[in-house]
Amino acid sequence: MISGSGLVVITDKNVSHFYRDQFPRGTMIEIEPGEKSKNLETVNSIYGQLLDSGIDRSDFIVGIGGGVVCDLAGFIASSYMRGLKFGFVASSLLAQVDAAIGGKNGVDYRDYKNIIGVIRQPEFVICDHDMLKTLEKKEFIGGLAEVIKYGAIMDISLFEYCEDHSTDLLEMNPVMLDEIIYRSAVNKVRLVEIDEFETGERTKLNFGHTFAHALEKITGVGHGEAVAVGMIIAAAMSVREGLLHEKKAIRLRSLIMNLGLPATLDIAPVELFQAIKKDKKKRGGEIGLVLIEDIGKSVIKYIDLDRLKLILDDLQLHSI
Ligand SMILES: [Zn+2]
């Protein structure tokens, strides 16, 4: 560990490998890359390193990395000594368009994702498309699922932009990348400004995510892939509930596939249902789901768990 001068860098070993030379000087804390680090054991270890380095409330924490690093750095900065200032340099597309924006910082606990956490805003979020070059292609494509999500729930012009430029996006054209990163961030900020503490509108960002979290848990696929399939299931449910024209669900599915994301995962409906039942957003016998009425228009619906089970059984997941 390098001794510090008021700045703590929290990063992971992958990001450090590529960018260490460009890091600001300060106390450096490295974690193991990946979701498995997003837990209280890692938090515990970092608290210890902060204490040992004499870090106090006058210091600043910068998280340099993807979603896991940003979540951990934000959570630690919000809780250590009752909170110190922090900022993010988001290195993955997922972090740039979603995880680093909006102030939600949390960790997983037992089987639950993000169940321990806070909402506290960073001082800044830096998103540089150049950093995406060091991502694995699969991870980059995973981030595109969140971009499609903004299009589907609130921004038809972003959706159309992705449709028109799918090849350029997959080739990581910097102009197109800047455009989707910027537009995604603007959309997220808009919802966070209206509803920072997620009592209403912000919930729409969970489109596809109730299914996605369950799919991630069961199949072990990455977040973006799970979100892609989750959005397809949510759209199919929207059709089933009489909210969405089937053509629009097909259009969403086409964009997902054109951007290299999966449209299905091999999973039994009953398994998916059991995993959803454990979801943290459950309310009594009902579950809150974000459905869409059109591309760019979403609604929050509470659906009875028994009805959800029936619909899932009916959807025949392998063929949606
Ligand atoms: Zn997500």
Side-chain angles (χ1 to χ4, degrees):
M1 194 181 301
I2 309 154
S3 69
S5 55
L7 185 77
V8 180
V9 173
I10 298 178
T11 188
D12 73 28
K13 289 181 178 162
N14 279 346
V15 175
S16 168
H17 169 75
F18 288 112
Y19 300 105
R20 176 194 286 257
D21 294 348
Q22 297 167 57
F23 283 178
R25 282 184 60 79
T27 302
M28 190 158 98
I29 297 175
E30 279 182 4
I31 61 163
E32 292 296 327
E35 188 76 21
K36 61 186 183 302
S37 289
K38 215 173 100 171
N39 55 42
L40 292 172
E41 286 76 59
T42 311
V43 171
N44 196 25
S45 147
I46 296 177
Y47 284 152
Q49 293 177 65
L50 295 175
L51 265 179
D52 291 345
S53 309
I55 301 302
D56 65 30
R57 296 198 64 208
S58 65
D59 296 319
F60 192 97
I61 291 181
V62 59
I64 307 179
V68 171
V69 164
C70 293
D71 255 305
L72 277 166
F75 180 68
I76 284 157
S78 305
S79 51
Y80 180 77
M81 294 198 172
R82 296 195 185 89
L84 45 111
K85 289 188 171 176
F86 63 102
F88 298 136
V89 180
S91 67
S92 71
L93 183 61
L94 178 77
Q96 295 186 354
V97 300
D98 189 15
I101 304 164
K104 273 194 184 179
N105 311 286
V107 295
D108 305 335
Y109 183 70
R110 293 190 181 163
D111 266 354
Y112 297 91
K113 291 180 71 70
N114 305 317
I115 198 164
I116 313 262
V118 295
I119 296 181
R120 199 158 182 268
Q121 301 302 333
E123 300 297 311
F124 62 79
V125 179
I126 295 174
C127 302
D128 180 348
H129 67 247
D130 247 7
M131 289 186 92
L132 305 180
K133 287 180 191 153
T134 50
L135 279 185
E136 279 179 38
K137 190 80 180 173
K138 203 174 156 195
E139 209 185 334
F140 167 73
I141 288 174
L144 292 173
E146 304 287 356
V147 179
I148 298 172
K149 177 187 78 179
Y150 294 114
I153 62 167
M154 64 191 293
D155 187 350
I156 188 164
S157 90
L158 174 58
F159 193 94
E160 284 166 350
Y161 190 88
C162 292
E163 286 180 322
D164 294 345
H165 300 286
S166 56
T167 311
D168 294 318
L169 286 170
L170 284 175
E171 286 167 2
M172 299 178 78
N173 178 309
V175 177
M176 314 300 172
L177 280 181
D178 273 354
E179 190 66 28
I180 61 161
I181 292 166
Y182 175 75
R183 291 209 208 175
S184 296
V186 167
N187 279 313
K188 180 143 189 190
V189 166
R190 191 180 305 156
L191 287 184
V192 173
E193 275 178 354
I194 304 171
D195 177 26
E196 183 175 8
F197 296 101
E198 197 171 312
T199 53
E201 285 294 290
R202 186 170 180 169
T203 314
K204 291 181 173 174
L205 294 167
N206 294 329
F207 179 57
H209 278 61
T210 298
F211 304 109
H213 289 155
L215 291 167
E216 277 180 86
K217 208 179 291 177
I218 302 164
T219 66
V221 288
H223 182 68
E225 291 158 292
V227 169
V229 177
M231 290 191 294
I232 288 175
I233 298 174
M237 286 197 70
S238 307
V239 174
R240 185 59 59 96
E241 291 293 281
L243 297 167
L244 183 71
H245 196 288
E246 197 175 2
K247 270 189 198 160
K248 305 286 172 81
I250 293 168
R251 189 173 164 195
L252 174 64
R253 180 197 168 96
S254 301
L255 178 58
I256 285 170
M257 293 175 76
N258 286 342
L259 287 177
L261 287 156
T264 55
L265 288 168
D266 192 18
I267 179 179
V270 64
E271 244 188 311
L272 183 62
F273 178 73
Q274 291 301 338
I276 290 168
K277 257 175 81 177
K278 289 186 77 179
D279 190 272
K280 62 186 173 180
K281 288 164 213 83
K282 194 168 58 191
R283 182 182 82 173
E286 291 186 320
I287 189 157
L289 283 179
V290 183
L291 300 179
I292 52 173
E293 295 178 320
D294 198 349
I295 302 292
K297 189 157 184 264
S298 48
V299 280
I300 301 158
K301 292 272 179 201
Y302 281 85
I303 298 208
D304 191 82
L305 280 171
D306 293 335
R307 174 152 179 77
L308 177 71
K309 186 170 188 303
L310 276 178
I311 299 176
L312 285 177
D313 278 343
D314 237 35
L315 283 181
Q316 296 180 308
L317 298 176
H318 57 277
S319 61
I320 50 168

